Amino acid sequence: MTDRPLRADARRNRDRVLAAAQEAFATEGISVPLDEIARRAGVGAGTVYRHFPTKEALFEAAMLDRVERMTAIARAGAETDDPGGAFFDYLAQMAADGGVKRDLADAIGPRRAQDFLAQTFEMKSAIGELLTAAQRAGAVRTDIGIDDLMAILKGLFLAIHDGGADPGIHARAFAVMVDGLRTR
């Protein structure tokens, strides 16, 4: 069996399913029914099953897609004229996504699927490039390495997630993290 490129309409449907799945998994967890994801995507359940035979396959594809997108954003940020600004903007986007979306915190940690591990390695590498560029620009302290940053981010995601009903926890936790990363 040869993997053929998807027709344009099939690709659009797949992308809509992935976007709906990412949002559903982020807000409701993996227990959300596939039929609900199909409804949110505006497609039939058969379309979801045609692209993703199991919920686990859909979850993995949604996480891979998110990691690939975040990797591309980090790489682009490292190439800008203001890598310090791009670095802090990237962290703000990660915090906004990760604070609400527990799956992103899980994606930073180790996973069993080889392709997912490869993609998270690529994301970590891209974030490392962005961190280094921001450090060279003088925006970020130089005694922080990529492993330090990833641990701090995961801790931020968990703190925001476990903050419960306190609407200010996100802003305060993010501000403390950013203040600690800036050069003195």
Side-chain angles (χ1 to χ4, degrees):
M1 183 173 179
T2 305
D3 286 334
R4 293 183 302 191
L6 293 174
R7 294 184 334 252
D9 61 330
R11 180 71 190 162
R12 279 191 303 274
N13 285 342
R14 184 180 190 281
D15 290 345
R16 288 169 52 193
V17 169
L18 278 175
Q22 287 173 355
E23 188 60 36
F25 289 143
T27 58
E28 299 171 40
I30 192 131
S31 65
V32 64
L34 285 178
D35 290 342
E36 173 60 16
I37 292 170
R39 186 193 66 73
R40 289 180 185 197
V43 300
T47 299
V48 175
Y49 286 106
R50 191 169 21 264
H51 292 286
F52 309 101
T54 66
K55 189 186 301 186
E56 291 73 22
L58 177 55
F59 181 78
E60 184 177 320
M63 293 303 92
L64 282 171
D65 182 68
R66 176 176 289 146
V67 169
E68 288 170 0
R69 289 173 195 254
M70 305 235 3
T71 299
I73 293 168
R75 288 207 194 290
E79 301 297 322
T80 66
D81 291 337
D82 181 15
F87 175 79
F88 289 112
D89 288 347
Y90 184 80
L91 292 183
Q93 182 175 354
M94 286 191 80
D97 286 349
V100 179
K101 300 174 181 174
R102 181 74 179 256
D103 54 4
L104 185 56
D106 293 340
I108 288 179
R111 296 293 244 182
R112 292 185 192 163
Q114 286 300 322
D115 55 346
F116 195 83
L117 284 172
Q119 289 299 322
T120 56
F121 178 79
E122 286 297 317
M123 182 177 78
K124 183 177 176 181
S125 174
I127 295 170
E129 292 169 18
L130 181 55
L131 170 64
T132 300
Q135 288 170 325
R136 285 188 187 135
V140 176
R141 51 194 287 180
T142 58
D143 62 336
I144 299 292
I146 186 60
D147 291 333
D148 301 320
L149 179 61
M150 298 308 280
I152 291 166
L153 283 170
K154 189 159 188 171
L156 174 71
F157 295 163
L158 295 174
I160 292 170
H161 178 75
D162 292 342
D166 182 354
I169 189 77
H170 179 273
R172 289 191 308 273
F174 182 73
V176 167
M177 180 190 72
V178 167
D179 286 348
L181 291 171
R182 291 193 190 280
T183 54
R184 302 271 175 237

